[in-house]
Amino acid sequence: MGNLPILQFEEKILETVDQNPVVVVIGETGSGKSTQLSQILHRSGYTKAGAIAVTQPRRVAAVSVSRRVAQELDVRLGDEVGYAIRFEDRTSERTCIKYLTDGVLLRESLSDPELKQYSVIILDEAHERSLNTDILMGLMKRLIRLRASNLKVLITSATLDGEKVSKFFSDCPILNVPGKLFPVEISYTSEQPKSYIDSSLRKAIDIHVNEPEGDILIFMTGQDDIEKLVSKLEEKIQSLEVGSCMDALVLPLHGSLPPEMQVRVFSPPPPNCRRFIVATNIAETSLTVDGVVYVIDSGYVKQRQYNPSTGMYSLDVVQISRVQANQRAGRAGRTRPGKCYRLYPLVVYHDNLLEATVPEIQRSSLAGSVLYLKSLDLPDIDILKFDFLDPPSLESLQDALKQLFLIDAIDENGTITRIGKTMAELPLEPSLARTLIEANEYDCLTLALTVASMLSVEGTLLPGRSKSTDKKRKHPPSDLPDGSGWGDHIQLLQIYELWDQTDYSIDWCKDNNLQVRGMLFAKDVRKQLSQIMQKIAKGSLDVKRKERRRERQHDYMNLRMSLCVGYASQLAERMIRHNGYRTLGFKSQLVQVHPSSVLRTDDEGMLPNYVVYHELISTSRPFMRNVCEVEMQWVTPILQKLEKLNVNKLSGGSNQPIENKEENSNITKKEGNDVGPCDDPNSRIQAARDRFLARKANK
DNA sequence: GAGCACTGC
């Protein structure tokens, strides 16, 4: 620690912080900024007036960095130095250096908008541009005006683009701290390869045969690519002449790998053996693999993006940004000089790649963030004019406002309602928060809490699409409940309830092919949600498990009604003659029930007339994922509400919405399945109503 | 009848 580059700048840092409310610190990997900045400020007395908060985008980082700082200061973790992440608060009254995830700091500012307990707030790793960090930066800009005399804000970033952040904070000073990376020699291909899998394969074998020892890290886009490349590599290595080169070990590395497989990359390789680590971008920032000397960069990444005009998510393979390319290259130079092979030409790097990755705030649905900002009740802030470092599109903000209106979180003037305030307290997406509140009214909160918790997990069911079990096609080998035909939400509920009856047995999860991590996470979420719901209602809430009722169907109905209210903008109506659906949102889409759904058909093979869905995802086709049957008489009032909707009023009354600052051209918008002639919302709603009446008459 | 990158309150 003694020779961390940042310590040579201690005086300069203190002087700059002393004279400025905001300072940007640029420090590459290994500069020590995450562990040292807080200590430097602590030493010079900033903690006398309040604590120092250091935010991290990831939980593991908050924990591990705070642990190291506690060690360096020789204090017990949780005393002077502590951390706070979801489900875990290891701080005390003595804590004066506190590491937390950016999401936790946002939660804290909900109950204390001025964050008075802190004298210094450090937003670390701001270059990653997480949704929460971006919102925090906007809030900090306002906070330093309010607390000019007693708050210091530091923004740290690993890339050289400090200019932009500095400009955002009224041209605040930028300090540069060198890092400790070794040089990385970068090479390019002369042409864009036809297949980056084959190209990676050739390059990896070439390195293995011709280059000195050192592990190879290969960046792929997803599990599929990784599995293909791993088997091709193994095959190729087998065919190499024995003794012609050193041993080899091929290791896949991606998020859905079970933990015991993931940690394999941390155990040192056997002697005289080269490791091939084939990874997603999990190895870009989240996990650091020691021993890597060679990096092969496919130039692609899988990215999830939200299209506000269709309400649809898609998961696309896109080109990485130059910042990302450099981050990947840097992974080769952590322990000694390395080499990075980019599988694309230099001109592509210069001319085709974006300078920086499109920030998350421009790729996500903003309903939750907008509700959060509204609930802060900042008198001087208009949501459409909120000062973002990179503003989201007007369309995206208006999409969020419309969603919030439909679920009663804001009124027709865009003002937050009491329900909306309550929703913001819940660490859930707004639709689920609304469902809980409604469920409380219908006396089925227990069930809704479970469904909300299960939906907060992704990939709970059958994590490995095991090709081996493919033989038994129709019914996957499991005795898990099927949702009684109502749909996926009910199935999730039933699964959790069964697990609950086994006293949360890990073996039970394994026996049933359920992801243990996911189930445990759901349990934590459920506990947290129950506590918050109890606090909010200050009274007796139906959060405890009641004795089993015989009237399960009645419970399910109440639950489905609650979901219908919570997901008012995510309802769909089946077509007359087939099992395709048309969404009933602002813009009608033709969609299908995802084949993994347990939704049941009737005697004539037809799916329910109306459903609620958790998410629209466009893969090979647009699908509704997690679907549940609802009744048409629940849907009608919502359609009527849709009719009343006036975006301009929602946006704050102005008839002329402000110009969108910058068209977000980085995201190629997928044309959804626009239903076409019914583009005018009013005529569409009229049409939906006519169909509704026709159905009713038919009954 | 398809398949999911990574985070996080």
Side-chain angles (χ1 to χ4, degrees):
Chain A
M1 147 198 156
N3 56 354
L4 280 171
I6 196 168
L7 293 174
Q8 298 153 20
F9 295 82
E10 179 155 358
E11 254 174 61
K12 177 77 182 158
I13 290 168
L14 285 172
E15 190 188 307
T16 318
V17 171
D18 182 51
Q19 289 163 8
N20 299 277
V22 186
V23 178
V24 174
V25 180
I26 309 290
E28 291 166 5
T29 316
S31 62
K33 60 183 165 54
S34 300
T35 56
Q36 301 308 309
L37 272 178
S38 59
Q39 294 185 60
I40 291 173
L41 296 171
H42 173 54
R43 276 199 290 274
S44 85
Y46 276 97
T47 42
K48 283 180 190 138
I52 296 175
V54 190
T55 68
Q56 295 290 327
R58 277 173 295 282
R59 297 160 55 95
V60 274
V63 176
S64 63
V65 178
S66 67
R67 188 166 285 150
R68 224 175 56 235
V69 172
Q71 244 168 38
E72 288 177 11
L73 289 175
D74 197 23
V75 297
R76 246 183 44 206
L77 189 62
D79 284 354
E80 283 82 356
V81 179
Y83 67 85
I85 58 178
R86 189 179 188 180
F87 310 133
E88 207 184 345
D89 184 349
R90 284 192 71 175
T91 61
S92 62
E93 276 170 17
R94 283 196 299 282
T95 303
C96 56
I97 298 179
K98 177 168 168 184
Y99 286 84
L100 27 62
T101 46
D102 44 22
V104 168
L105 189 63
L106 276 179
R107 285 280 142 200
E108 287 187 357
S109 78
L110 208 50
S111 50
D112 177 16
E114 294 191 21
L115 294 167
K116 291 190 210 74
Q117 57 163 315
Y118 302 113
S119 59
V120 180
I121 293 170
I122 302 175
L123 305 184
D124 202 7
E125 315 287 358
H127 62 278
E128 288 189 25
R129 304 297 306 277
S130 78
L131 179 58
N132 288 337
T133 301
D134 268 21
I135 291 171
L136 279 171
M137 280 198 272
L139 290 176
M140 289 304 123
K141 190 163 176 175
R142 180 177 164 278
L143 209 52
I144 47 164
R145 284 201 305 270
L146 280 172
R147 294 184 48 191
S149 59
N150 61 4
L151 176 69
K152 298 293 184 188
V153 173
L154 282 80
I155 316 280
T156 87
S157 176
T159 56
L160 299 175
D161 191 23
E163 293 292 333
K164 184 169 173 180
V165 183
S166 162
K167 215 174 250 168
F168 182 70
F169 287 104
S170 329
D171 292 310
C172 71
I174 304 171
L175 292 176
N176 277 287
V177 183
K180 249 169 84 174
L181 272 185
F182 293 91
V184 175
E185 188 189 317
I186 292 172
S187 61
Y188 297 84
T189 54
S190 54
E191 281 170 42
Q192 191 78 30
K194 285 201 184 71
S195 151
Y196 55 77
I197 295 180
D198 292 340
S199 182
S200 303
L201 175 68
R202 276 195 303 276
K203 182 46 82 180
I205 296 297
D206 179 47
I207 296 169
H208 186 47
V209 173
N210 297 312
E211 296 281 343
E213 59 173 345
D215 295 339
I216 307 172
L217 174 60
I218 308 170
F219 283 103
M220 288 283 118
T221 62
Q223 188 176 347
D224 255 18
D225 289 354
I226 290 175
E227 281 166 9
K228 270 185 211 150
L229 182 55
V230 164
S231 74
K232 284 188 178 187
L233 272 170
E234 277 168 346
E235 200 178 300
K236 200 84 182 181
I237 289 164
Q238 286 283 313
S239 73
L240 290 175
E241 205 178 314
V242 183
S244 65
C245 48
M246 67 182 98
D247 293 340
L249 181 63
V250 185
L251 297 172
L253 180 61
H254 53 82
S256 40
L257 221 52
E260 63 270 21
M261 291 285 283
Q262 277 190 17
V263 297
R264 285 208 297 168
V265 299
F266 296 120
S267 44
N272 193 38
C273 178
R274 190 200 300 279
R275 299 190 302 166
F276 295 71
I277 296 135
V278 190
T280 58
N281 51 336
I282 195 172
E284 215 173 271
T285 48
S286 306
L287 294 180
T288 299
V289 186
D290 282 326
V292 172
V293 178
Y294 309 96
V295 163
I296 299 175
D297 176 13
S298 64
Y300 291 96
V301 68
K302 215 174 260 185
Q303 238 178 28
R304 184 178 153 100
Q305 17 221 16
Y306 178 72
N307 182 343
S309 70
T310 56
M312 194 143 24
Y313 281 97
S314 58
L315 200 60
D316 307 319
V317 173
V318 298
Q319 269 183 327
I320 58 172
S321 65
R322 284 196 286 273
V323 169
Q324 239 175 325
N326 296 337
Q327 173 72 27
R328 288 181 174 186
R331 293 278 144 173
R334 294 186 57 86
T335 42
R336 58 180 146 128
K339 288 184 179 177
C340 173
Y341 305 89
R342 291 182 173 155
L343 301 180
Y344 42 93
L346 180 62
V347 282
V348 169
Y349 175 80
H350 278 304
D351 299 348
N352 293 30
L353 301 196
L354 296 173
E355 169 56 27
T357 311
V358 179
E360 204 184 342
I361 202 165
Q362 294 181 340
R363 289 188 282 120
S364 318
S365 168
L366 296 181
S369 303
V370 168
L371 178 63
Y372 170 81
L373 288 172
K374 291 244 178 208
S375 78
L376 287 181
D377 201 19
L378 312 173
D380 50 335
I381 283 184
D382 169 354
I383 196 69
L384 291 188
K385 292 177 194 144
F386 185 79
D387 207 348
F388 293 106
L389 181 57
D390 282 306
S393 69
L394 177 63
E395 189 181 22
S396 178
L397 288 168
Q398 289 183 334
D399 165 67
L401 290 169
K402 288 192 282 190
Q403 286 187 43
L404 291 174
F405 171 71
L406 270 191
I407 56 177
D408 317 302
I410 58 176
D411 64 19
E412 70 267 23
N413 299 312
T415 311
I416 189 164
T417 61
R418 259 189 52 225
I419 290 179
K421 286 247 176 195
T422 309
M423 287 165 59
E425 301 271 325
L426 291 159
L428 285 173
E429 48 192 277
S431 45
L432 278 176
R434 183 69 183 89
T435 302
L436 287 194
I437 292 167
E438 196 68 7
N440 191 31
E441 302 289 317
Y442 286 123
D443 201 30
C444 61
L445 183 57
T446 324
L447 311 184
L449 281 168
T450 303
V451 173
S453 309
M454 290 292 273
L455 285 172
S456 301
V457 186
E458 273 188 57
T460 321
L461 288 167
L462 309 166
R465 331 142 280 172
S466 39
K467 287 233 165 104
S468 50
T469 53
D470 245 15
K471 294 163 211 158
K472 277 193 177 179
R473 268 230 142 141
K474 270 270 153 91
H475 296 287
S478 105
D479 301 323
L480 289 173
D482 64 353
S484 308
W486 294 116
D488 306 306
H489 299 73
I490 305 297
Q491 187 195 29
L492 291 174
L493 169 67
Q494 293 169 337
I495 289 174
Y496 189 91
E497 286 180 338
L498 271 185
W499 186 48
D500 182 294
Q501 283 166 30
T502 71
D503 219 7
Y504 311 114
S505 153
I506 304 286
D507 288 334
W508 185 85
C509 295
K510 286 181 179 161
D511 291 346
N512 287 285
N513 236 343
L514 295 166
Q515 214 183 66
V516 178
R517 258 183 306 178
M519 293 300 288
L520 291 171
F521 181 75
K523 188 183 163 204
D524 281 339
V525 173
R526 195 180 187 287
K527 188 173 153 204
Q528 187 190 28
L529 293 177
S530 308
Q531 284 167 350
I532 297 173
M533 283 304 283
Q534 248 153 353
K535 212 163 50 190
I536 290 170
K538 312 176 195 146
S540 57
L541 270 191
D542 164 40
V543 292
K544 286 208 179 135
R545 218 162 16 118
K546 283 188 269 189
E547 76 269 29
R548 287 184 64 75
R549 282 202 213 169
R550 266 183 293 151
E551 272 303 316
R552 284 308 269 176
Q553 294 303 323
H554 186 258
D555 280 346
Y556 292 157
M557 186 185 74
N558 285 339
L559 177 60
R560 292 186 296 117
M561 274 165 75
S562 310
L563 284 166
C564 195
V565 172
Y567 285 81
S569 58
Q570 292 168 227
L571 299 167
E573 177 192 54
R574 186 171 56 75
M575 311 294 221
I576 303 288
R577 299 196 170 279
H578 57 92
N579 278 334
Y581 281 80
R582 161 204 302 274
T583 62
L584 295 171
F586 319 109
K587 196 158 186 185
S588 206
Q589 306 287 318
L590 295 181
V591 297
Q592 287 188 324
V593 174
H594 197 277
S596 65
S597 175
V598 294
L599 197 66
R600 206 179 284 162
T601 53
D602 64 13
D603 299 339
E604 287 154 30
M606 298 317 266
L607 289 165
N609 287 335
Y610 292 91
V611 293
V612 59
Y613 59 86
H614 179 65
E615 176 177 70
L616 279 188
I617 176 103
S618 169
T619 46
S620 58
R621 276 188 273 176
F623 288 112
M624 300 182 281
R625 270 186 38 200
N626 284 317
V627 185
C628 187
E629 174 168 358
V630 292
E631 306 300 327
M632 66 178 162
Q633 61 268 31
W634 307 338
V635 176
T636 352
I638 293 165
L639 288 182
Q640 282 160 358
K641 201 165 180 198
L642 202 59
E643 226 165 328
K644 275 199 297 192
L645 195 142
N646 178 336
V647 193
N648 289 336
K649 239 177 135 187
L650 279 182
S651 315
S654 125
N655 283 324
Q656 287 174 313
I658 49 160
E659 270 311 298
N660 190 6
K661 276 196 194 164
E662 218 170 305
E663 190 51 35
N664 184 5
S665 56
N666 296 330
I667 299 175
T668 42
K669 290 205 174 123
K670 271 207 176 148
E671 284 304 317
N673 281 20
D674 192 347
V675 172
C678 314
D679 238 4
D680 166 29
N682 285 326
S683 71
R684 235 193 45 243
I685 290 158
Q686 188 58 47
R689 255 206 175 158
D690 292 347
R691 288 190 304 273
F692 167 67
L693 291 171
R695 266 178 212 275
K696 211 170 183 180
N698 279 337
K699 258 210 160 166

